[in-house]
Amino acid sequence: MKKFEYTVKDDLGLHARPAGLLVKCVSGYKSAVTLTKGGKSADAKRLFGVMGLAVKFGDVISVTIEGEDEDAAYLAIKAFCESNF
């Protein structure tokens, strides 16, 4: 299991466009990816779940990756977060 935390730096938070791109990025991996914010968790492969977390500027999200391709997914998702929100 791989895990990292990320502080959202986008002024608009994790709004529809980056959330959709995140879901697309995550869906390319077989591993289960879970986003957690403030005690609420969501499957990162489900757009409505990601949007339901209502992640705003300055919020810290925890990303947990577990599965057969977790190493590759970890690197890709972490790079995606750092470049998109």
Side-chain angles (χ1 to χ4, degrees):
M1 179 172 69
K2 299 279 188 177
K3 186 174 183 176
F4 68 92
E5 291 189 344
Y6 182 76
T7 302
V8 175
K9 297 175 179 85
D10 188 316
D11 292 340
L12 300 175
L14 187 50
H15 58 89
R17 190 182 76 61
L21 292 172
L22 175 64
V23 169
K24 186 175 180 180
C25 174
V26 169
S27 295
Y29 296 95
K30 294 179 181 175
S31 295
V33 180
T34 304
L35 297 183
T36 304
K37 185 205 99 180
K40 291 177 59 179
S41 295
D43 180 350
K45 294 181 180 179
R46 306 239 180 234
L47 181 59
F48 288 113
V50 173
M51 295 296 296
L53 294 176
V55 178
K56 297 180 173 48
F57 173 79
D59 286 346
V60 177
I61 58 172
S62 176
V63 181
T64 305
I65 307 154
E66 189 168 8
E68 62 185 77
D69 56 358
E70 65 188 24
D71 292 331
Y74 170 83
L75 294 174
I77 296 166
K78 189 168 184 180
F80 177 87
C81 290
E82 291 170 354
S83 63
N84 287 286
F85 54 87

